[in-house]
Amino acid sequence: MTNQISASARTGLGGLTVARQPWICRTALLLLFLLMAVSFDSPALAQRGKYKTLGYRSCGTEQGACHQSDGVWWKGDPHFGTVQSLKRKKQRSVRIATAYGLAPGSYLKGNSKCAECHGEVVGGREGKNINTGVSCENCHGPAGPKGVGYYEVHQEGSVPKDPLSTARPGYQKALQVGMLQLRDTGIRAKTCVQCHQINDKKLLEADHPTGEGFDYVRAIRNQISKHWDYAVRPVDVDAGIFASAVAARPIPSFTVKVAAPAQVVAAAGVARTDTVFIYVDPEVPPWLNPGTNISISPFAPGLSNDAPVDSILIAVKNYIEYVHEQLRRGK
Ligand code: HEC
Ligand code: HEC
Ligand code: HEC
């Protein structure tokens, strides 16, 4: 890891005009850069020091723009749906949030503890509800404010022919002002672990999952690599690097302080109806976007505990078809 960080620090310096400076100055800058590269450990916040998140729309994820292909990947990735997932698990979220000491309606607000990991908080909108899932800047570092963060500088220079080249001046300058070098497997591991390994004792006592046992190698291989896995390079996943990042963020011992929720039992013959909210995003393909709220009844197969596997699978299949049908009707 030390080797990788100093290697990226060296290339990082390539973008600065210090080549003709005395070596002592270069060493000081190298040390400074090393500190910058390794000294973040707060969750992926909207604000990291002086940097603020501008929001995924400023990344150019729409058609024909800079990061169209990254946007396409993202919209199919689990991180896109993290806010929706919180809204769907409302009962559980409210229970955790209340036990954590938050007002019931406030867990979706940009300045709540929950927003640190469950969504993208656009700078200046901290008091509003978050409505975008974990996004570009949660992983790559906040790009704003304009003129301060890497938003402008990372665009300098033309896109290199070799997609793996990091020599472009804009890339190098961006690393100096908050863009994380996620190519460095150590920094990447730390980025994932700071959200996926929950070490806040109060949150754990509020019955939030710990994130223990999360399979990082599998996650990189199956999800994240689809985002940047250029055909020209193997996916470099090193379980050891994740193990060290996990070990550096130990989960404290804790006792859950909230009572288990009462079982929700539907009255016989009456189907309980849950409202499912579908977030309407103009950039989402229409087939994913019914454009209105729809109502579905919960999965209630009415099978006995010892029902054969075949019957269970058929019940699941019928339910999926039913949900699909409702979604189409919502359009
Ligand atoms: C440090 C990051 C972090 C913070 C802070 C955080 N979460 Fe989470 N949360 C996660 C991750 C990662 C998962 C997925 C964990 C898993 O599946 O093991 C998760 C899962 C959940 C789930 C799903 C649980 C389930 O059983 O499916 C709920 C609900 C939830 N969080 C609510 C909250 C609420 C409410 C808050 C604020 C009080 C909050 N979270 C704060 C990272 C975080
Ligand atoms: C869950 C975390 C995560 C999210 C969300 C995410 N990325 Fe990435 N991104 C990564 C990782 C990890 C890499 C891999 C770096 C490497 O090894 O090259 C990467 C690589 C990239 C690269 C190539 C980087 C390089 O060094 O040349 C670009 C460009 C990029 N992402 C843009 C985006 C954009 C735009 C979005 C939002 C639409 C986004 N990313 C969302 C984690 C993320
Ligand atoms: C800003 C916080 C944050 C960061 C950074 C982040 N994640 Fe996540 N991730 C989440 C949350 C929250 C969920 C969804 C939990 C839920 O909705 O139940 C999630 C879901 C996932 C899932 C799908 C759920 C599962 O258990 O399979 C995968 C895979 C995943 N993340 C991998 C990664 C990897 C790999 C990285 C690092 C490159 C990363 N994440 C970085 C917050 C984050």
Side-chain angles (χ1 to χ4, degrees):
M1 168 152 169
T2 317
N3 281 341
Q4 272 151 352
I5 288 188
S6 49
S8 67
R10 246 180 273 125
T11 50
L13 278 173
L16 289 175
T17 50
V18 292
R20 284 179 297 277
Q21 303 283 347
W23 67 268
I24 193 148
C25 187
R26 297 189 66 167
T27 315
L29 267 163
L30 181 72
L31 280 173
L32 184 74
F33 187 79
L34 270 173
L35 279 174
M36 281 167 50
V38 297
S39 67
F40 72 90
D41 63 1
S42 65
L45 295 164
Q47 280 154 281
R48 237 187 227 138
K50 60 184 170 176
Y51 302 123
K52 282 187 176 228
T53 302
L54 296 176
Y56 78 97
R57 283 174 206 279
S58 37
C59 306
T61 47
E62 71 279 18
Q63 210 173 3
C66 307
H67 289 294
Q68 186 189 339
S69 60
D70 301 308
V72 169
W73 158 78
W74 176 57
K75 282 168 189 167
D77 181 79
H79 292 105
F80 178 74
T82 46
V83 170
Q84 283 320 106
S85 159
L86 264 197
K87 288 184 184 167
R88 262 198 314 273
K89 295 171 186 164
K90 187 171 175 204
Q91 278 188 345
R92 180 112 160 83
S93 300
V94 169
R95 216 164 65 88
I96 294 173
T98 311
Y100 191 75
L102 299 175
S106 70
Y107 71 98
L108 285 170
K109 289 267 191 288
N111 50 17
S112 86
K113 180 75 193 167
C114 323
E116 287 179 13
C117 298
H118 282 274
E120 178 187 63
V121 186
V122 180
R125 294 180 59 84
E126 290 81 0
K128 304 251 161 57
N129 280 357
I130 42 167
N131 58 16
T132 306
V134 171
S135 181
C136 321
E137 292 164 281
N138 286 95
C139 291
H140 288 278
K146 290 190 180 165
V148 177
Y150 65 82
Y151 179 73
E152 285 93 354
V153 294
H154 93 293
Q155 302 180 29
E156 286 175 24
S158 48
V159 178
K161 280 205 189 72
D162 172 6
L164 297 185
S165 167
T166 57
R168 193 170 55 86
Y171 192 99
Q172 296 306 330
K173 282 190 199 166
L175 296 176
Q176 320 288 326
V177 283
M179 189 176 87
L180 292 179
Q181 175 52 299
L182 291 180
R183 286 176 186 232
D184 182 303
T185 46
I187 294 177
R188 188 195 305 159
K190 229 174 154 174
T191 304
C192 312
V193 168
Q194 70 189 340
C195 283
H196 280 276
Q197 169 99 341
I198 288 82
N199 69 350
D200 178 337
K201 189 167 178 170
K202 205 170 126 198
L203 197 54
L204 297 168
E205 285 171 348
D207 203 19
H208 189 285
T210 60
E212 262 168 316
F214 187 77
D215 188 342
Y216 291 96
V217 172
R218 194 159 173 265
I220 294 281
R221 194 185 292 126
N222 294 353
Q223 312 274 359
I224 313 291
S225 70
K226 295 202 171 53
H227 163 36
W228 89 97
D229 187 17
Y230 309 116
V232 285
R233 187 174 59 148
V235 185
D236 51 344
V237 281
D238 182 337
I241 287 181
F242 285 104
S244 332
V246 165
R249 199 179 153 86
I251 297 173
S253 62
F254 66 95
T255 315
V256 176
K257 287 189 175 160
V258 278
Q263 242 5 80
V264 183
V265 185
V270 183
R272 205 166 55 89
T273 297
D274 280 355
T275 303
V276 175
F277 296 97
I278 308 273
Y279 173 50
V280 183
D281 182 327
E283 286 188 30
V284 164
W287 60 269
L288 261 179
N289 207 355
T292 173
N293 292 341
I294 59 158
S295 261
I296 56 168
S297 3
F299 183 51
L303 295 169
S304 66
N305 277 344
D306 48 5
V309 176
D310 282 358
S311 317
I312 299 172
L313 289 176
I314 289 167
V316 170
K317 173 179 165 286
N318 289 341
Y319 186 70
I320 291 173
E321 280 169 5
Y322 155 76
V323 171
H324 189 242
E325 183 59 27
Q326 300 305 308
L327 276 169
R328 287 165 62 90
R329 230 176 256 157
K331 255 191 249 171

